[in-house]
Amino acid sequence: MENLISRMQAVQSPIIPIVGELIRQYPGTISLGQGVVYYGPPPEAIAQISQFLADPTNHLYKANEGIPPLLEAIAGKLCTFNRIEINEQNAVVVTAGSNMAFMHALLAITSVGDEVILQTPYYFNHDMAITIAGCRPVFVPTDENYQLRPEAIAQAITGRTRAVVTISPNNPTGVVYPKAALQAVNQLCRDRGIYHISDEAYEYFTYDGVPHISPGSFAGSDPHTISLFSLSKAYGFASWRIGYMVIPASLSVAVKKVQDTILICPPVISQYAAVGALQTGIAYCQEHLHAIAEVRHLVLSELQHLDHLCTVAPTEGAFYCFLKVHTDLPAMQLIERLIREHRVAVLPGDTFGMTEGCYLRIGYGALQKETATAGIERLVKGLQSILS
């Protein structure tokens, strides 16, 4: 069995456990790595657990696409916040997180050898999923501010292209794509007969009055748009593993086949909690968004001390900054030194597809202001020390 060769050899290893092991070796390290929020679920979500336990049938399998109360709550949220109407042309499917939703979409719309277009820098789990599905990721660089380049996307489309993926607000860069750019990509997909997969896990995390735009709200977008959503970020729900997708009605049979094979049905106890979370609405996230915005301001302010050592592109969403570091050091070597010598951790840009040059992703959503202050000060001083 030592000579076993599988498709997984072509898949990059997830970086967070690798950096996590380095952090464990150096106690006291402050992590600016993993993309989670500092707060937990709302009380209304926890209260729903007793409702789950009150019905013995909840320990049995439930509907493949999700329980009716959650589907109803999702439809209401989509209409109110995203301006997406659930009708006979589309459908909602609840999944165990939006990563699973992305995998479901890939398996439903592709065959082995097909191509899926990602924007670089990309979200590493998207690249991994495409490879696992036996497809080929096609990388289209964004511009100097990490914004979409619709004309370059158009040139990358071939006869094997099945989808274009966009993430807004973006992981890893924190940029928010404007309506005009998303409309251009969505129309391009419509004209070329391919799908637009829109990952909107950070939909509530925008700053300075910048709006979130859902491509699924565009007129005529239902037949070719797949929208992915998550409760992990907005509701502190990371380990509950609940997300959902809005898909064209024509994909319902295919997606439910995938769901039944991999999951059968989403965890029902988590779905009950999700009902409670959605009942609190965006207000719950907004209660905490002010604190995250303060940390964001602090991070951006401190990074100005590195303007001669790093380039920081404008960021208006999520809870990330993406640094281009002016050094010949490999990103992972730089990160190892930051952890070992300065007790602060970030993620390397290589894992997001930025292999030419040294790039770092800073995540600040998981930190309270005091810890964030210490962490970003360590990062700034560490980079100044190492790069000088």
Side-chain angles (χ1 to χ4, degrees):
M1 298 300 288
E2 293 180 1
N3 296 322
L4 177 66
I5 296 175
S6 88
R7 69 181 68 196
M8 299 310 295
Q9 290 176 288
V11 179
Q12 67 162 299
S13 296
I15 192 63
I16 289 175
I18 295 173
V19 174
E21 179 56 34
L22 283 171
I23 292 171
R24 283 188 288 274
Q25 292 175 20
Y26 295 92
T29 297
I30 295 175
S31 176
L32 300 171
Q34 196 162 15
V36 293
V37 293
Y38 72 88
Y39 56 90
E44 292 85 349
I46 305 302
Q48 284 289 322
I49 303 305
S50 61
Q51 297 295 319
F52 166 84
L53 294 172
D55 184 353
T57 68
N58 282 331
H59 302 300
L60 304 175
Y61 295 129
K62 293 294 183 180
N64 177 281
E65 68 274 18
I67 60 175
L70 181 54
L71 294 175
E72 182 179 349
I74 289 171
K77 174 264 178 185
L78 288 168
C79 181
T80 302
F81 182 76
N82 305 97
R83 299 184 181 179
I84 297 175
E85 181 184 352
I86 300 305
N87 51 48
E88 67 280 355
Q89 296 184 53
N90 58 21
V92 174
V93 176
V94 180
T95 56
S98 60
N99 272 5
M100 177 173 279
F102 184 76
M103 194 76 212
H104 281 12
L106 286 180
L107 295 175
I109 67 174
T110 65
S111 297
V112 172
D114 284 343
E115 298 172 352
V116 177
I117 293 176
L118 299 179
Q119 323 304 315
T120 52
Y122 53 71
Y123 172 44
F124 55 84
N125 281 137
H126 286 173
D127 171 60
M128 294 166 70
I130 292 166
T131 305
I132 290 171
C135 297
R136 188 172 79 89
V138 174
F139 306 120
V140 175
T142 49
D143 69 15
E144 65 276 8
N145 290 320
Y146 306 120
Q147 290 289 340
L148 295 171
R149 297 167 58 229
E151 70 288 347
I153 295 171
Q155 292 174 5
I157 295 173
T158 72
R160 296 306 301 264
T161 304
R162 294 295 173 263
V164 175
V165 181
T166 60
I167 309 171
S168 183
N170 189 262
N171 177 11
T173 65
V175 305
V176 178
Y177 299 146
K179 183 176 182 179
L182 288 169
Q183 283 182 317
V185 172
N186 195 263
Q187 184 63 47
L188 174 64
C189 291
R190 181 179 183 177
D191 293 343
R192 299 293 187 92
I194 60 178
Y195 292 98
H196 180 182
I197 302 178
S198 173
D199 187 326
E200 303 176 40
Y202 300 89
E203 57 185 330
Y204 292 158
F205 296 89
T206 62
Y207 310 96
D208 302 329
V210 174
H212 170 68
I213 304 297
S214 294
S217 67
F218 300 152
S221 66
D222 286 341
H224 64 278
T225 305
I226 300 171
S227 305
L228 313 180
F229 300 95
S230 171
L231 272 70
S232 294
K233 316 304 179 183
Y235 296 103
F237 242 60
S239 72
W240 291 84
R241 307 314 305 137
I242 287 290
Y244 56 97
M245 57 197 306
V246 181
I247 59 174
S250 60
L251 293 179
S252 288
V253 171
V255 167
K256 289 179 181 179
K257 285 180 182 179
V258 179
Q259 177 97 309
D260 189 72
T261 302
I262 295 176
L263 190 63
I264 298 181
C265 68
V268 179
I269 190 169
S270 296
Q271 291 191 71
Y272 267 74
V275 171
L278 289 177
Q279 286 173 349
T280 68
I282 188 176
Y284 182 73
C285 180
Q286 288 176 331
E287 290 175 15
H288 301 280
L289 195 57
H290 178 70
I292 293 177
E294 285 188 349
V295 172
R296 170 181 177 267
H297 178 76
L298 166 71
V299 169
L300 293 176
S301 177
E302 287 295 315
L303 288 177
Q304 291 179 3
H305 297 300
L306 297 173
D307 58 357
H308 61 299
L309 298 173
C310 303
T311 300
V312 185
T315 170
E316 299 169 322
F319 29 77
Y320 304 115
C321 294
F322 203 65
L323 273 60
K324 180 179 182 180
V325 186
H326 306 154
T327 179
D328 292 329
L329 283 174
M332 198 61 203
Q333 183 177 327
L334 179 57
I335 288 168
E336 288 173 357
R337 289 191 61 183
L338 285 168
I339 295 172
R340 185 174 64 249
E341 299 171 17
H342 300 277
R343 298 299 191 271
V344 63
V346 290
L347 294 188
D350 311 58
T351 199
F352 302 99
M354 303 298 280
T355 56
E356 296 184 8
C358 182
Y359 294 83
L360 305 175
R361 190 193 78 171
I362 299 171
Y364 53 85
L367 304 179
Q368 300 279 8
K369 189 172 182 179
E370 295 75 15
T371 309
T373 300
I376 197 66
E377 286 178 354
R378 291 183 190 184
L379 178 65
V380 169
K381 291 178 181 177
L383 288 173
Q384 288 172 335
S385 173
I386 294 168
L387 301 178
S388 62

